[in-house]
Amino acid sequence: MIPHEAFEALKQVVGPKYISQEPEVCRAYTLKDRGFHTAEARVLGRDPVCVVLPGSTEEVQAIVRIANRYKIGYTPASTLWFPQAGPRFDDCLFIDLKRFNSLDVDPVNMNATCGTGVIFAQLQAEALKYGLYTMTPGGGSQVGVVPNHLVWSFSPLTYRVGMANRRIMGCEWVLPSGEVVRLGSLASGNDPFWGEGIGSDLRGILRGSIGWFGSLGIVTRMCVKLFPFHTEPLPPTGISPNTFLKFPENRMKWYNFTCPSKDALIQFMYDIGHAEIAAAATRVPVAWRYIAKAKSKEDFWENWNKPEGKREEVTGSHVLRVLLIGYTSAKQLEYEEKVLMAIAEKNGAEHRRTFQGDQSWMQSADSVSMWWLTGAFMSVTGQVDTIDCGIKTGMEFAKLKATFTPPTMPDYGDQGWFQTNDFGHSGYLEFLNYWDPNDKPEELHRVDEYYQVAGPKLLIRCGALSFFIQTDSPLTLDGPNYGPHYDKFARKVKDALDPLYNCNPPGILDVIDEVVEKAPWLKKLKNWE
Amino acid sequence: MTYRLELENYHWDALNCCGCKGCIWVDHVYCSGVKYGMRCPSLHEYELDTYSAIGRTKLALGLLDGTFQFTPTALDIIYKCNLCMACDIGCKRNLDLDPGMVLETLRIRAVEKGAGPLPAHKKIAENIAKSGNRYGGAAAKRQAWLPKDAKIAKTPEMVYFAGCNSSYKRTGLATATAGILDTCGAKWAPFPGEQCCGHPLYVSGMAEAALKQATANIEALKKSGATTVVTACAECYKTWKVDYPKMMDKRTDVMGYKVIHITELAAQKLKDGTLKPTHPVNMIVAYHDACNLGRASDSWVPWHGTRGKWGVTQPPKTYRRGANAPYQPARDILDAIPGLVRKEFIRTRENTMCCGAGGGVMDAYPEFAHHTADHRLEEAEDVGAEAVVSACPYCDENFAQTAASTDRKLKVYDVVQLLYQSLTGRGTL
């Protein structure tokens, strides 16, 4: 419980409609039964004791100050999609930011100022009305724009528009002290065109290596970059669940290529980048193709559960999927297609038929399908590196995962989803894992071991810069191996800005360590050396 | 109570919600932006996650494991929901869970435990028990709407089930429907001894009482010799098509009767040239997809089986994804009316936003119902409509009351009224 006085003070701030401490109401915000089924959710997840929905930055400031006065830990979240943004400690005040749903597109300066409750599907839909676009991240169309821009938000479209945290033009940030700071161009009033604001630019502190997952204050507003798109409409078509945006094929086209080897596929990716063509280039896991074709879960498993020849099919599949967009004209698409075909020929790739519409990535990203297969999903690494290095980690994970299959879903040696970013200057690999949350406890403990202990150890061994690293303080990988010790730096920032450790305690820094310490079946395995 | 209507049978569905909120948003492909991006009326009104399928499935788990009881707060969460099935088909976009059945069986369990339904629902149940209709109107006057010159067949192929609303309140709809049936040349008769279909009982959790209504109505249908029930009420349509077989644990297609909405019949008769709307109706209208004539109305297919590894069902479950509803007939009718310009709402078909009346909300929480209707009316204004047209008398009623109580300039009609006007030049426009 939070003190009665504190509750009354909070109620004064937001009004009775937007606050509750009734257990039946608060249960909606738990992580425990939220389908994550990870040790983190199972061990740390709990119900908040109070939920509050502020409607303005001033209300957020007042809430934070009340929390500080009464020493109440709080967790802010936009859509509560990410486990670390959920209540993980006793007596948690949960700050639901969905009422921050303002969205202003500046079509001239090509940016949008979003409230924290706005999701990507909404931003993309509004941007397209002005002939602009952004990417929809792998986390899905339903994730919040603001929090996702503070982490390593990726999708195949990142190839051209870059990592999300580089697209932040300005922020409105309520510090753990309750003060409001405006960063970047939002610091200088209502002209978010300039990324840099007056004086020192603190966006770097807020972004950190991979953001703070709500543990360094609350961002209530953010201005993000948008990019020029073509002006042809993308009509939504079909009835759920078979819906897609229809492509104007003179301006947008998917191309699938079968490459003779993984090396040829990687070279193909680099060549596309060198030629500075395309809007996306990605290799998708074979299981995703089965998902796309399946009419139901049962249908998927009937087809996937045929092991004969599946290993050869999976490990021998080198399908590259490329999106071309004629941003400026149909002639641009024609030109890029010629270049693409020449590159394909050079790399011995065979052009295959594919569906010409957007079922995923433009406005709708079906990350939720990852749960549909088995009931539980989690990535063990999301790695930004060169394409070659990313793939090496994927190959190592494939070997490791084989030793944990079962209980993890058989994927016949798939080496992960990878793509190229920044016109080939970097690559991205994500290694995906599925398991059955209704397995026996000992099987779930094996999954925990894989995800919480064996996976991080592998990352250390590979020297992989994963988006999980920052949450793995025992690893201190960003420290000795990568120059300035990021973990220590982050702790100093947290100490300075949130000395009470009220803001989503204990911070992002100790999650894996904390889970491992609190789960007896993991603690005995802990060995970070 | 039949096997499938136990909350326990949907424990897996509640447990495996991953919190993606596909249940609240419009299908992302159809997302138009911020203002009309949501399709869950309950979350739109109350804003806490609690008032969405996410919160309600978590509540269901707590009720099942004994953490929670049916307290007034729990009942408030359970009943402030339109049962519009936006969450259900949203979930089946990607996850194939059955949150809709979690919501329905939560109410059934609340009634079984003596906690539900709400006082407003109890009053309706009393009326139905006493008079056979939700309003407590005299049973003898139920078919007072029947035109004297209606061409009633002695051995009908189809019987017209008017429903309580059209029988007692919006009787013009029943009269117009009868007129269209006559013009179609249908061999029809009014439903003999019609009683409430049981919809208000079922949606408030009184499944036993609803089953009694179902049994009586099906028995009356058998006696009539007809095998087709035609209705102009979306709630009656869905109740006959989905809830009767659901309560009886049967497939819709083995019930021994067929249920059609008048729009389906009329659209077919327009196509074959039997119906010829000639009188112009000069109006710009937006057609509102009623939930119960849309996404909630896929045929019922019971599933008795087990879940194996990965949650795979054996035998394979048939998923009701809202894709097989009669979305198009009403649109075809409106398009055939001379002078009429049809606009689409921003949220249409399976992405529609409930009018706010459904699920017993208009009875228990009229303010919530009117807020939702007002939001929908605003959407109609935003697409440039002068009138909102629906194919459900409850949508019609809620929109009309809301429009009258606000400064909205919109008119409200049923598609049947507009067709009748165009066919005959007579009507109430």
Side-chain angles (χ1 to χ4, degrees), chain A residues 246-412:
Chain A
K246 201 171 177 185
F247 276 180
E249 288 190 43
N250 61 336
R251 302 297 284 270
M252 285 182 89
K253 257 181 167 174
W254 281 112
Y255 300 80
N256 275 12
F257 296 96
T258 305
C259 301
S261 66
K262 182 173 285 174
D263 287 344
L265 189 154
I266 293 165
Q267 189 56 47
F268 198 160
M269 282 184 166
Y270 277 125
D271 289 346
I272 290 170
H274 285 147
E276 296 188 357
I277 60 163
T282 181
R283 182 265 175 188
V284 297
V286 176
W288 290 11
R289 301 213 308 269
Y290 279 74
I291 293 174
K293 288 175 186 167
K295 293 187 177 75
S296 64
K297 181 198 280 267
E298 288 70 26
D299 191 35
F300 169 85
W301 278 103
E302 191 179 332
N303 293 312
W304 186 251
N305 236 355
K306 291 174 183 162
E308 305 80 38
K310 195 57 69 54
R311 181 163 292 278
E312 291 71 25
E313 180 192 341
V314 170
T315 55
S317 170
H318 309 295
V319 176
L320 177 64
R321 193 159 162 75
V322 181
L323 176 66
L324 297 187
I325 299 179
Y327 291 98
T328 56
S329 63
K331 282 193 172 173
Q332 182 188 356
L333 180 62
E334 285 172 25
Y335 163 75
E336 291 199 8
E337 184 178 275
K338 282 179 191 162
V339 176
L340 182 68
M341 293 304 172
I343 295 171
E345 192 179 346
K346 178 200 151 203
N347 289 290
E350 194 180 333
H351 184 205
R352 294 292 179 89
R353 247 179 1 155
T354 188
F355 177 75
Q356 291 306 336
D358 180 62
Q359 292 167 304
S360 200
W361 299 126
M362 193 65 210
Q363 186 160 314
S364 173
D366 291 343
S367 69
V368 185
S369 302
M370 303 296 106
W371 275 260
W372 170 79
L373 292 184
T374 66
F377 162 78
M378 186 55 77
S379 294
V380 282
T381 186
Q383 194 175 332
V384 176
D385 217 318
T386 63
I387 304 169
D388 310 61
C389 288
I391 289 162
K392 279 177 192 160
T393 310
M395 291 162 75
E396 290 301 313
F397 259 110
K399 282 187 225 160
L400 176 67
K401 191 183 169 192
T403 67
F404 287 91
T405 306
T408 58
M409 170 186 143
D411 60 8
Y412 308 103

Side-chain angles (χ1 to χ4, degrees), chain B residues 135 142 145 160-175 177 232-233 393-394:
Chain B
Y135 305 114
R142 184 160 185 120
W145 54 265
Y160 169 44
F161 193 92
C164 297
N165 192 299
S166 301
S167 299
Y168 291 96
K169 287 181 124 181
R170 309 180 88 72
T171 53
L173 174 58
T175 310
T177 305
C233 172
Y394 295 96

Side-chain angles (χ1 to χ4, degrees), chain A residues 17-18 20 22-30 33-37 47 51 53 78-81 96 98-99 101 103 117-119 121-122 125-126 129 141-142 236-241 243-245 295-298 301 358-359 363-364 366 368-369 371-375 407-410 434-439 443, chain B residues 12 14-22 24-25 27-39 43-51 54-56 58-59 61-62 65 67-69 71 73-74 77 89-90 92-96 307-317 319 321-324 327 349-351:
Chain A
K17 183 181 174 186
Y18 295 113
S20 177
E22 296 189 72
E24 298 95 329
V25 173
C26 293
R27 172 54 64 92
Y29 293 88
T30 189
D33 295 320
R34 220 172 161 95
F36 287 105
H37 307 293
D47 296 0
V51 179
L53 282 81
S78 159
T79 59
L80 191 43
W81 180 231
D96 179 344
K98 72 160 71 72
R99 291 177 68 205
N101 58 2
L103 173 55
V118 173
I119 63 168
Q122 294 173 324
E126 297 284 4
K129 290 174 190 170
S141 334
Q142 79 289 349
T237 307
I239 286 182
S240 182
T243 56
F244 59 94
L245 293 175
K295 293 187 177 75
S296 64
K297 181 198 280 267
E298 288 70 26
W301 278 103
D358 180 62
Q359 292 167 304
Q363 186 160 314
S364 173
D366 291 343
V368 185
S369 302
W371 275 260
W372 170 79
L373 292 184
T374 66
T408 58
M409 170 186 143
Y434 314 86
W435 68 96
D436 187 343
N438 300 301
D439 272 345
E443 289 168 320
Chain B
W12 194 92
L15 190 63
N16 284 278
C17 164
C18 68
C20 70
K21 299 193 176 174
I24 67 160
W25 302 116
D27 181 331
H28 297 305
V29 164
Y30 282 89
C31 179
S32 63
V34 170
K35 191 173 180 184
Y36 299 118
M38 196 183 281
R39 61 181 163 184
L43 191 74
H44 183 262
E45 176 76 6
Y46 298 106
E47 304 194 62
L48 287 151
D49 280 4
T50 314
Y51 293 90
I54 297 170
R56 294 185 177 103
K58 302 293 167 269
L59 176 64
L61 292 172
D65 69 19
T67 306
F68 297 130
Q69 305 299 318
T71 58
T73 301
I77 295 165
I89 67 109
K92 290 185 177 71
R93 173 72 169 78
N94 284 317
L95 281 181
D96 275 342
R307 284 191 187 271
K309 185 75 178 165
W310 319 119
V312 171
T313 56
Q314 183 60 39
K317 188 173 182 175
Y319 297 101
R321 297 189 174 110
N324 302 309
Y327 295 113
R349 298 176 188 253
E350 77 274 21
N351 291 305

Side-chain angles (χ1 to χ4, degrees), chain A residues 135-153:
Chain A
M135 45 147 265
T136 300
S141 334
Q142 79 289 349
V143 303
V145 172
V146 169
N148 199 253
H149 271 74
L150 288 167
V151 299
W152 290 4
S153 166

